[in-house]
Amino acid sequence: MKKLYSFLIGAALAVVTFVIYLQWTDHRIAGRGDNNSIRYNTTVDKFASHDVIVDNMGKDTLLVLGSSEFQVGKSMKQHPQNMLDFKDMNLMMVGAGYYQSLWHAIALGSVGESIQNGKVVLFVSPQWFKTEGANPDAFLSRYSADHLLHFLQNEKIDKATKQGVIDRVKELVKGNPVIAKEISGYEAVYLKGENAFLRDTYYAWHTGLTAYKAKYRFYMKNKWSKKDNHDSYVAPAWEELRELAIRDGEQAVTTNPFYVNDGYYNKRLKSDIKKLKGYQKDYNYDESPEYGDLELFLQVAESMDLKVMFVGIPFNHFWTEYTELPVQTQQNYFARLAAVAEAHDVHYLDLQAHTKEPYWFRDTVHIGWKGWLDINEELVKFKNEEY
Amino acid sequence: MKNTKVRIAWDILRAYVLVLMILLLLLWMDFTKVPQFIYNQF
């Protein structure tokens, strides 16, 4: 009996220590940030955390969702991290390779109520719309329980939209029994209304702990500047910057006719360049589950009355001509994107005119020196309501 | 008497360490076995 009492006393002390540990670390990380180094951080740890994103979005922060273009070429002077680094004009960048419409629909449902200026931008890449749609393994590696829980608990989003998202998520995670079971649990409690007691006890605790873990992981594993940014935005001379961007591009591209920077070309393309000729000739973006995912994204945005802007990333003509991506495929894709935007009253930034512009891209698909300048200018206009 | 007190203190300490380790393990262990996925445009 004495042994049992000793064990219980020891266990109780351990629980008290554990709770104190949680509160102490939570206090240490609470309120950190509110600076641009976190807003422009592009790590999976940041994207996965509801609190890190919400705590660092001010009234002058434009939430931009996208994919690999945010990570590639961050050292370019024209990248928003370097060009829009102001206290009153900055971006909360969320996205990296394989972050697509469905992930962004969940994240938007999670953080959307905290967008103070009521606006969100989605960078839409044609590569998302391959026939097979989002890759299940890629989706799993980017899955955030923290965002999904906040999404499901967002009362502004209707049940049908939530069910549509959950059905699609279940389809993509079915290869992972642990996550599939976790999501079925969320569905039972938040959508089917089963077991209100469990929802208000275990799942309330689980939500808090999941948010804590995601936030802790970011703040403890990643570096960011402790300095707040005090500079105010002054509109630059865009045309002069375009001249400088061309010069930057000319220095970086000297070895190939595709206007792909030398580093990328030599490392990724040069050895396989003959094999890559014509490899996109059978590509087709006409039918893809991604279109349904994009609809879900827009339904989520509409349910919170958010003003949406699409940035339609164009094709690098110099590359697609070589890889023989059919022009019809490209035209069909953009026509469909424009139709979706029109149907949902989305401000659509059509960039197709730049497809043949040297130095607009920095590699085969990613935005380059001139491209970021054009987009930055439009982002500032969107944020300042100059449309 | 002294030995009994020491034994009780030792039992409490063992339980304390064991439970705390289990709680911390549950907090930080990832049981989901999510695959790593490296970006590759091709």
mmCIF file with all atom_site columns, all heavy atoms in Angstrom, chain B residues 21-34:
data_model
loop_
_atom_site.group_PDB
_atom_site.id
_atom_site.type_symbol
_atom_site.label_atom_id
_atom_site.label_alt_id
_atom_site.label_comp_id
_atom_site.label_asym_id
_atom_site.label_entity_id
_atom_site.label_seq_id
_atom_site.pdbx_PDB_ins_code
_atom_site.Cartn_x
_atom_site.Cartn_y
_atom_site.Cartn_z
_atom_site.occupancy
_atom_site.B_iso_or_equiv
_atom_site.pdbx_formal_charge
_atom_site.auth_seq_id
_atom_site.auth_comp_id
_atom_site.auth_asym_id
_atom_site.auth_atom_id
_atom_site.pdbx_PDB_model_num
ATOM 1   N N   . MET B 1 21 ? 8.768  11.435 -17.632 1.00 0.00 ? 21 MET B N   1
ATOM 2   C CA  . MET B 1 21 ? 9.355  10.986 -18.906 1.00 0.00 ? 21 MET B CA  1
ATOM 3   C C   . MET B 1 21 ? 8.254  10.560 -19.882 1.00 0.00 ? 21 MET B C   1
ATOM 4   O O   . MET B 1 21 ? 8.289  10.903 -21.063 1.00 0.00 ? 21 MET B O   1
ATOM 5   C CB  . MET B 1 21 ? 10.313 9.810  -18.680 1.00 0.00 ? 21 MET B CB  1
ATOM 6   C CG  . MET B 1 21 ? 11.623 10.173 -18.037 1.00 0.00 ? 21 MET B CG  1
ATOM 7   S SD  . MET B 1 21 ? 12.581 11.316 -19.042 1.00 0.00 ? 21 MET B SD  1
ATOM 8   C CE  . MET B 1 21 ? 12.670 12.714 -17.991 1.00 0.00 ? 21 MET B CE  1
ATOM 9   N N   . ILE B 1 22 ? 7.282  9.802  -19.353 1.00 0.00 ? 22 ILE B N   1
ATOM 10  C CA  . ILE B 1 22 ? 6.189  9.344  -20.231 1.00 0.00 ? 22 ILE B CA  1
ATOM 11  C C   . ILE B 1 22 ? 5.419  10.549 -20.789 1.00 0.00 ? 22 ILE B C   1
ATOM 12  O O   . ILE B 1 22 ? 5.126  10.621 -21.982 1.00 0.00 ? 22 ILE B O   1
ATOM 13  C CB  . ILE B 1 22 ? 5.237  8.387  -19.468 1.00 0.00 ? 22 ILE B CB  1
ATOM 14  C CG1 . ILE B 1 22 ? 5.971  7.070  -19.166 1.00 0.00 ? 22 ILE B CG1 1
ATOM 15  C CG2 . ILE B 1 22 ? 3.961  8.123  -20.259 1.00 0.00 ? 22 ILE B CG2 1
ATOM 16  C CD1 . ILE B 1 22 ? 5.222  6.136  -18.236 1.00 0.00 ? 22 ILE B CD1 1
ATOM 17  N N   . LEU B 1 23 ? 5.124  11.531 -19.926 1.00 0.00 ? 23 LEU B N   1
ATOM 18  C CA  . LEU B 1 23 ? 4.369  12.705 -20.386 1.00 0.00 ? 23 LEU B CA  1
ATOM 19  C C   . LEU B 1 23 ? 5.152  13.491 -21.450 1.00 0.00 ? 23 LEU B C   1
ATOM 20  O O   . LEU B 1 23 ? 4.596  13.906 -22.461 1.00 0.00 ? 23 LEU B O   1
ATOM 21  C CB  . LEU B 1 23 ? 4.040  13.611 -19.191 1.00 0.00 ? 23 LEU B CB  1
ATOM 22  C CG  . LEU B 1 23 ? 2.961  13.089 -18.238 1.00 0.00 ? 23 LEU B CG  1
ATOM 23  C CD1 . LEU B 1 23 ? 2.868  13.982 -16.999 1.00 0.00 ? 23 LEU B CD1 1
ATOM 24  C CD2 . LEU B 1 23 ? 1.601  13.015 -18.924 1.00 0.00 ? 23 LEU B CD2 1
ATOM 25  N N   . LEU B 1 24 ? 6.446  13.676 -21.204 1.00 0.00 ? 24 LEU B N   1
ATOM 26  C CA  . LEU B 1 24 ? 7.259  14.417 -22.177 1.00 0.00 ? 24 LEU B CA  1
ATOM 27  C C   . LEU B 1 24 ? 7.388  13.653 -23.493 1.00 0.00 ? 24 LEU B C   1
ATOM 28  O O   . LEU B 1 24 ? 7.346  14.236 -24.575 1.00 0.00 ? 24 LEU B O   1
ATOM 29  C CB  . LEU B 1 24 ? 8.650  14.725 -21.597 1.00 0.00 ? 24 LEU B CB  1
ATOM 30  C CG  . LEU B 1 24 ? 8.663  15.782 -20.504 1.00 0.00 ? 24 LEU B CG  1
ATOM 31  C CD1 . LEU B 1 24 ? 10.045 15.897 -19.865 1.00 0.00 ? 24 LEU B CD1 1
ATOM 32  C CD2 . LEU B 1 24 ? 8.255  17.145 -21.055 1.00 0.00 ? 24 LEU B CD2 1
ATOM 33  N N   . LEU B 1 25 ? 7.483  12.341 -23.373 1.00 0.00 ? 25 LEU B N   1
ATOM 34  C CA  . LEU B 1 25 ? 7.568  11.492 -24.565 1.00 0.00 ? 25 LEU B CA  1
ATOM 35  C C   . LEU B 1 25 ? 6.278  11.607 -25.386 1.00 0.00 ? 25 LEU B C   1
ATOM 36  O O   . LEU B 1 25 ? 6.296  11.786 -26.604 1.00 0.00 ? 25 LEU B O   1
ATOM 37  C CB  . LEU B 1 25 ? 7.784  10.036 -24.130 1.00 0.00 ? 25 LEU B CB  1
ATOM 38  C CG  . LEU B 1 25 ? 8.508  9.134  -25.109 1.00 0.00 ? 25 LEU B CG  1
ATOM 39  C CD1 . LEU B 1 25 ? 9.945  9.594  -25.257 1.00 0.00 ? 25 LEU B CD1 1
ATOM 40  C CD2 . LEU B 1 25 ? 8.477  7.688  -24.620 1.00 0.00 ? 25 LEU B CD2 1
ATOM 41  N N   . LEU B 1 26 ? 5.145  11.541 -24.674 1.00 0.00 ? 26 LEU B N   1
ATOM 42  C CA  . LEU B 1 26 ? 3.852  11.667 -25.368 1.00 0.00 ? 26 LEU B CA  1
ATOM 43  C C   . LEU B 1 26 ? 3.726  13.033 -26.022 1.00 0.00 ? 26 LEU B C   1
ATOM 44  O O   . LEU B 1 26 ? 3.148  13.183 -27.096 1.00 0.00 ? 26 LEU B O   1
ATOM 45  C CB  . LEU B 1 26 ? 2.691  11.457 -24.382 1.00 0.00 ? 26 LEU B CB  1
ATOM 46  C CG  . LEU B 1 26 ? 2.444  10.018 -23.944 1.00 0.00 ? 26 LEU B CG  1
ATOM 47  C CD1 . LEU B 1 26 ? 1.382  9.969  -22.847 1.00 0.00 ? 26 LEU B CD1 1
ATOM 48  C CD2 . LEU B 1 26 ? 1.970  9.168  -25.128 1.00 0.00 ? 26 LEU B CD2 1
ATOM 49  N N   . LEU B 1 27 ? 4.289  14.044 -25.359 1.00 0.00 ? 27 LEU B N   1
ATOM 50  C CA  . LEU B 1 27 ? 4.196  15.410 -25.897 1.00 0.00 ? 27 LEU B CA  1
ATOM 51  C C   . LEU B 1 27 ? 4.989  15.554 -27.196 1.00 0.00 ? 27 LEU B C   1
ATOM 52  O O   . LEU B 1 27 ? 4.525  16.154 -28.154 1.00 0.00 ? 27 LEU B O   1
ATOM 53  C CB  . LEU B 1 27 ? 4.708  16.401 -24.848 1.00 0.00 ? 27 LEU B CB  1
ATOM 54  C CG  . LEU B 1 27 ? 4.706  17.881 -25.248 1.00 0.00 ? 27 LEU B CG  1
ATOM 55  C CD1 . LEU B 1 27 ? 3.285  18.385 -25.440 1.00 0.00 ? 27 LEU B CD1 1
ATOM 56  C CD2 . LEU B 1 27 ? 5.411  18.725 -24.192 1.00 0.00 ? 27 LEU B CD2 1
ATOM 57  N N   . TRP B 1 28 ? 6.188  15.000 -27.235 1.00 0.00 ? 28 TRP B N   1
ATOM 58  C CA  . TRP B 1 28 ? 7.066  15.283 -28.359 1.00 0.00 ? 28 TRP B CA  1
ATOM 59  C C   . TRP B 1 28 ? 7.241  14.163 -29.359 1.00 0.00 ? 28 TRP B C   1
ATOM 60  O O   . TRP B 1 28 ? 7.763  14.388 -30.448 1.00 0.00 ? 28 TRP B O   1
ATOM 61  C CB  . TRP B 1 28 ? 8.445  15.751 -27.862 1.00 0.00 ? 28 TRP B CB  1
ATOM 62  C CG  . TRP B 1 28 ? 8.307  17.080 -27.226 1.00 0.00 ? 28 TRP B CG  1
ATOM 63  C CD1 . TRP B 1 28 ? 8.536  17.385 -25.917 1.00 0.00 ? 28 TRP B CD1 1
ATOM 64  C CD2 . TRP B 1 28 ? 7.835  18.290 -27.828 1.00 0.00 ? 28 TRP B CD2 1
ATOM 65  N NE1 . TRP B 1 28 ? 8.247  18.708 -25.676 1.00 0.00 ? 28 TRP B NE1 1
ATOM 66  C CE2 . TRP B 1 28 ? 7.817  19.285 -26.837 1.00 0.00 ? 28 TRP B CE2 1
ATOM 67  C CE3 . TRP B 1 28 ? 7.427  18.633 -29.121 1.00 0.00 ? 28 TRP B CE3 1
ATOM 68  C CZ2 . TRP B 1 28 ? 7.410  20.587 -27.092 1.00 0.00 ? 28 TRP B CZ2 1
ATOM 69  C CZ3 . TRP B 1 28 ? 7.010  19.932 -29.377 1.00 0.00 ? 28 TRP B CZ3 1
ATOM 70  C CH2 . TRP B 1 28 ? 7.009  20.887 -28.367 1.00 0.00 ? 28 TRP B CH2 1
ATOM 71  N N   . MET B 1 29 ? 6.822  12.943 -29.012 1.00 0.00 ? 29 MET B N   1
ATOM 72  C CA  . MET B 1 29 ? 6.951  11.849 -29.982 1.00 0.00 ? 29 MET B CA  1
ATOM 73  C C   . MET B 1 29 ? 5.961  12.041 -31.126 1.00 0.00 ? 29 MET B C   1
ATOM 74  O O   . MET B 1 29 ? 4.837  12.485 -30.895 1.00 0.00 ? 29 MET B O   1
ATOM 75  C CB  . MET B 1 29 ? 6.670  10.494 -29.319 1.00 0.00 ? 29 MET B CB  1
ATOM 76  C CG  . MET B 1 29 ? 7.857  9.928  -28.569 1.00 0.00 ? 29 MET B CG  1
ATOM 77  S SD  . MET B 1 29 ? 9.157  9.350  -29.652 1.00 0.00 ? 29 MET B SD  1
ATOM 78  C CE  . MET B 1 29 ? 8.466  7.801  -30.164 1.00 0.00 ? 29 MET B CE  1
ATOM 79  N N   . ASP B 1 30 ? 6.398  11.703 -32.304 1.00 0.00 ? 30 ASP B N   1
ATOM 80  C CA  . ASP B 1 30 ? 5.500  11.780 -33.449 1.00 0.00 ? 30 ASP B CA  1
ATOM 81  C C   . ASP B 1 30 ? 5.203  10.360 -33.915 1.00 0.00 ? 30 ASP B C   1
ATOM 82  O O   . ASP B 1 30 ? 6.089  9.651  -34.366 1.00 0.00 ? 30 ASP B O   1
ATOM 83  C CB  . ASP B 1 30 ? 6.177  12.579 -34.568 1.00 0.00 ? 30 ASP B CB  1
ATOM 84  C CG  . ASP B 1 30 ? 5.232  12.868 -35.714 1.00 0.00 ? 30 ASP B CG  1
ATOM 85  O OD1 . ASP B 1 30 ? 4.065  12.437 -35.623 1.00 0.00 ? 30 ASP B OD1 1
ATOM 86  O OD2 . ASP B 1 30 ? 5.641  13.516 -36.687 1.00 0.00 ? 30 ASP B OD2 1
ATOM 87  N N   . PHE B 1 31 ? 3.951  9.957  -33.772 1.00 0.00 ? 31 PHE B N   1
ATOM 88  C CA  . PHE B 1 31 ? 3.598  8.579  -34.108 1.00 0.00 ? 31 PHE B CA  1
ATOM 89  C C   . PHE B 1 31 ? 3.006  8.457  -35.518 1.00 0.00 ? 31 PHE B C   1
ATOM 90  O O   . PHE B 1 31 ? 2.530  7.416  -35.923 1.00 0.00 ? 31 PHE B O   1
ATOM 91  C CB  . PHE B 1 31 ? 2.566  8.033  -33.105 1.00 0.00 ? 31 PHE B CB  1
ATOM 92  C CG  . PHE B 1 31 ? 3.060  8.055  -31.692 1.00 0.00 ? 31 PHE B CG  1
ATOM 93  C CD1 . PHE B 1 31 ? 2.664  9.056  -30.821 1.00 0.00 ? 31 PHE B CD1 1
ATOM 94  C CD2 . PHE B 1 31 ? 3.934  7.089  -31.234 1.00 0.00 ? 31 PHE B CD2 1
ATOM 95  C CE1 . PHE B 1 31 ? 3.132  9.086  -29.519 1.00 0.00 ? 31 PHE B CE1 1
ATOM 96  C CE2 . PHE B 1 31 ? 4.410  7.106  -29.928 1.00 0.00 ? 31 PHE B CE2 1
ATOM 97  C CZ  . PHE B 1 31 ? 4.005  8.111  -29.068 1.00 0.00 ? 31 PHE B CZ  1
ATOM 98  N N   . THR B 1 32 ? 3.011  9.559  -36.257 1.00 0.00 ? 32 THR B N   1
ATOM 99  C CA  . THR B 1 32 ? 2.239  9.565  -37.505 1.00 0.00 ? 32 THR B CA  1
ATOM 100 C C   . THR B 1 32 ? 2.971  8.951  -38.699 1.00 0.00 ? 32 THR B C   1
ATOM 101 O O   . THR B 1 32 ? 2.358  8.631  -39.699 1.00 0.00 ? 32 THR B O   1
ATOM 102 C CB  . THR B 1 32 ? 1.833  11.000 -37.875 1.00 0.00 ? 32 THR B CB  1
ATOM 103 O OG1 . THR B 1 32 ? 3.013  11.798 -37.864 1.00 0.00 ? 32 THR B OG1 1
ATOM 104 C CG2 . THR B 1 32 ? 0.831  11.549 -36.899 1.00 0.00 ? 32 THR B CG2 1
ATOM 105 N N   . LYS B 1 33 ? 4.283  8.829  -38.603 1.00 0.00 ? 33 LYS B N   1
ATOM 106 C CA  . LYS B 1 33 ? 5.081  8.259  -39.698 1.00 0.00 ? 33 LYS B CA  1
ATOM 107 C C   . LYS B 1 33 ? 4.783  8.920  -41.047 1.00 0.00 ? 33 LYS B C   1
ATOM 108 O O   . LYS B 1 33 ? 4.471  8.252  -42.031 1.00 0.00 ? 33 LYS B O   1
ATOM 109 C CB  . LYS B 1 33 ? 4.850  6.751  -39.804 1.00 0.00 ? 33 LYS B CB  1
ATOM 110 C CG  . LYS B 1 33 ? 5.497  5.982  -38.675 1.00 0.00 ? 33 LYS B CG  1
ATOM 111 C CD  . LYS B 1 33 ? 5.387  4.494  -38.903 1.00 0.00 ? 33 LYS B CD  1
ATOM 112 C CE  . LYS B 1 33 ? 5.962  3.735  -37.727 1.00 0.00 ? 33 LYS B CE  1
ATOM 113 N NZ  . LYS B 1 33 ? 5.550  2.343  -37.695 1.00 0.00 ? 33 LYS B NZ  1
ATOM 114 N N   . VAL B 1 34 ? 4.832  10.207 -41.043 1.00 0.00 ? 34 VAL B N   1
ATOM 115 C CA  . VAL B 1 34 ? 4.580  10.949 -42.280 1.00 0.00 ? 34 VAL B CA  1
ATOM 116 C C   . VAL B 1 34 ? 5.824  10.893 -43.158 1.00 0.00 ? 34 VAL B C   1
ATOM 117 O O   . VAL B 1 34 ? 6.930  11.112 -42.667 1.00 0.00 ? 34 VAL B O   1
ATOM 118 C CB  . VAL B 1 34 ? 4.208  12.408 -41.946 1.00 0.00 ? 34 VAL B CB  1
ATOM 119 C CG1 . VAL B 1 34 ? 4.281  13.286 -43.172 1.00 0.00 ? 34 VAL B CG1 1
ATOM 120 C CG2 . VAL B 1 34 ? 2.824  12.464 -41.341 1.00 0.00 ? 34 VAL B CG2 1
#
